Amino acid sequence: MYTQQLAALAAMSNKYGANPEYVLAGGGNTSFKSEDRLWVKGSGTALATIKAEDFVVLERKSLDAMWSTQYPEEEKAREAKVLEDMMNARVEGESRRPSVETLLHNLFPQRYILHVHPAIVNGLTCAKNGKEATKQLFPQAVWVEACKPGYILALECKKLMDAYKQETGKDCDLLFLENHGVFFAADTVQQLDVLAEGVMNALAAAVKRGPALEEVPADGQKVAQIAEVLAELYGGEQAAAVAFLANKEILSYDPATKSLSPDHIVYAKAKQLAIPADADVKELFEKFTAENGYKPKIVFVEGLGMFSCGANEKEASTAQIVMLDAIKVVAYTESFGGVSPMPEFLIDFIVNWEVESYRSKVSLGK
Ligand SMILES: [Zn+2]
């Protein structure tokens, strides 16, 4: 059943998943739904390589019932119960864990959903004038203010989407989440492509400048020296990998900029270490670790560039890709009034969020 639709879902997922303008580091998710079932990307699966049979299958009736369930006020208890109900909504024999954004997928009546966090889109959702610019550029869109992910976010989206339907008589097919990303919804993959492309093109036309990503030459000896020190500090007894990148955008980035979206925290940590050109790397690294309770994944060296650390090459490269994404987003926000990072309470919430940490572990293959 639904063989064709699921093949179309997989093909659509692979297409966007393989396009770095749309998807980074295993992020984003997609789904297809029938009247009574939802096929959604599993937590930690990569869109670029997902196959039709990899989607987690859930009963929509059980997911719908979650809107009228009374969940505990207390955060941890609530999210644990929500997760339990979501796991119980899976069809019999299903053992995988659905995306944390499953409730949002089920909320849309449209058959196909694409949820992504493209840099150019987040240039809008992480900008001071993001809400106003969205109204102008995409009058049919619903804008959701930054709030706690999981059940609280889903409930907020439901409220706004219900109000939209009341007001316009139409189902919302374009949802922007402040400091997070975008949902596209359509009944066919072709319509979904048109919608997504339209948004990306409109944004490309609206931004005054793109990020300056041409690599700039760096002092190779200095880079190698610092990389060696960082590998030792980051790895301790274990081996560690360190990657380096320098471009104009990195060199002019303000390392004190607060986190922009959940993905940035998950893969590049809430804080990055910035050190002056000739400072003692070891001393500042250890001071940072003592203050924050974790080792920095990203180290900016003034006038030189950006180092990314990880337990292995994949982790170091993911941290680099995601941090570079944040830097690109900041550049795009210039066109919409400048950067507006996540509120502090949300940053803390994400830092402590078990579901997110599960995701970063799975997609890093730990
Ligand atoms: Zn998301």
Side-chain angles (χ1 to χ4, degrees):
M1 274 247 285
Y2 299 108
T3 313
Q4 258 184 341
Q5 289 90 334
L6 293 175
L9 171 65
M12 180 267 277
S13 306
N14 297 160
K15 182 176 100 172
Y16 289 106
N19 184 343
E21 293 206 359
Y22 281 87
V23 170
L24 297 173
N29 40 65
T30 54
S31 67
F32 165 76
K33 60 176 74 71
S34 65
E35 283 308 307
D36 41 80
R37 286 192 168 178
L38 177 75
W39 286 259
V40 69
K41 193 192 93 161
S43 184
T45 318
L47 284 180
T49 51
I50 198 166
K51 295 193 275 299
E53 62 269 26
D54 294 337
F55 289 89
V56 183
V57 195
L58 300 107
E59 301 286 1
R60 296 189 64 202
K61 218 184 262 170
S62 312
L63 291 172
D64 287 339
M66 291 174 69
W67 298 125
S68 42
T69 303
Q70 279 296 329
Y71 287 106
E73 279 292 311
E74 199 275 316
E75 233 152 67
K76 278 220 170 87
R78 179 187 64 237
E79 292 305 322
K81 186 75 180 81
V82 165
L83 182 62
E84 190 189 316
D85 284 357
M86 215 160 75
M87 298 297 255
N88 290 335
R90 296 175 302 177
V91 298
E92 227 180 278
E94 179 61 78
S95 60
R96 294 159 296 191
R97 181 160 166 164
S99 156
V100 296
E101 280 145 344
T102 294
L103 281 175
L104 284 168
H105 284 260
N106 187 49
L107 198 50
F108 289 88
Q110 293 92 339
R111 298 272 152 156
Y112 293 94
I113 308 295
L114 168 66
H115 165 55
V116 280
H117 324 117
I120 197 162
V121 168
N122 280 338
L124 185 70
T125 74
C126 304
K128 284 187 183 129
N129 301 336
K131 191 177 180 177
E132 292 70 30
T134 299
K135 234 181 242 164
Q136 267 173 12
L137 289 167
F138 311 109
Q140 87 277 26
V142 169
W143 171 272
V144 185
E145 258 155 56
C147 74
K148 285 179 186 170
Y151 190 71
I152 301 291
L153 171 64
L155 211 57
E156 182 63 15
C157 291
K158 183 179 188 330
K159 202 177 84 192
L160 293 165
M161 286 163 74
D162 285 349
Y164 178 89
K165 173 114 194 190
Q166 277 263 307
E167 219 175 281
T168 64
K170 285 188 232 153
D171 292 309
C172 160
D173 64 357
L174 182 58
L175 185 77
F176 287 98
L177 306 174
E178 187 182 20
N179 291 113
H180 182 157
V182 62
F183 271 84
F184 300 109
D187 281 325
T188 68
V189 167
Q190 289 75 16
Q191 288 169 345
L192 194 81
D193 287 344
V194 171
L195 180 64
E197 227 185 279
V199 167
M200 296 296 265
N201 289 342
L203 284 170
V207 295
K208 292 185 206 99
R209 76 163 187 103
L213 301 175
E214 314 79 57
E215 286 190 32
V216 297
D219 178 345
Q221 214 183 342
K222 194 155 188 203
V223 169
Q225 237 172 32
I226 296 178
E228 202 187 330
V229 175
L230 286 176
E232 207 167 286
L233 287 166
Y234 191 85
E237 304 283 281
Q238 265 97 40
V242 176
F244 175 79
L245 187 66
N247 61 42
K248 276 193 198 153
E249 212 61 56
I250 287 173
L251 292 175
S252 61
Y253 175 75
D254 175 6
T257 308
K258 295 234 159 52
S259 300
L260 303 181
S261 87
D263 269 359
H264 298 133
I265 298 177
V266 173
Y267 298 105
K269 295 282 185 192
K271 281 190 183 139
Q272 293 79 41
L273 170 62
I275 58 180
D278 287 310
D280 184 336
V281 177
K282 186 169 189 275
E283 189 192 318
L284 293 175
F285 189 101
E286 281 167 352
K287 186 166 168 253
F288 177 100
T289 307
E291 275 171 13
N292 295 287
Y294 56 83
K295 293 177 179 177
K297 287 192 80 83
I298 303 288
V299 179
F300 291 99
V301 178
E302 194 186 4
L304 190 66
M306 176 178 88
F307 293 85
S308 329
C309 311
N312 50 49
E313 271 179 37
K314 189 180 178 196
E315 211 182 286
S317 126
T318 301
Q320 181 184 79
I321 291 167
V322 172
M323 194 63 224
L324 184 63
D325 177 71
I327 293 168
K328 282 155 79 174
V329 172
V330 169
Y332 285 127
T333 63
E334 280 173 25
S335 302
F336 307 110
V339 66
S340 168
M342 287 171 83
E344 205 69 45
F345 83 93
L346 262 187
I347 294 178
D348 292 344
F349 181 81
I350 303 288
V351 167
N352 296 313
W353 205 26
E354 181 268 339
V355 187
E356 286 289 335
S357 84
Y358 174 88
R359 180 158 69 92
S360 88
K361 276 180 204 131
V362 173
S363 62
L364 290 169
K366 274 197 220 155

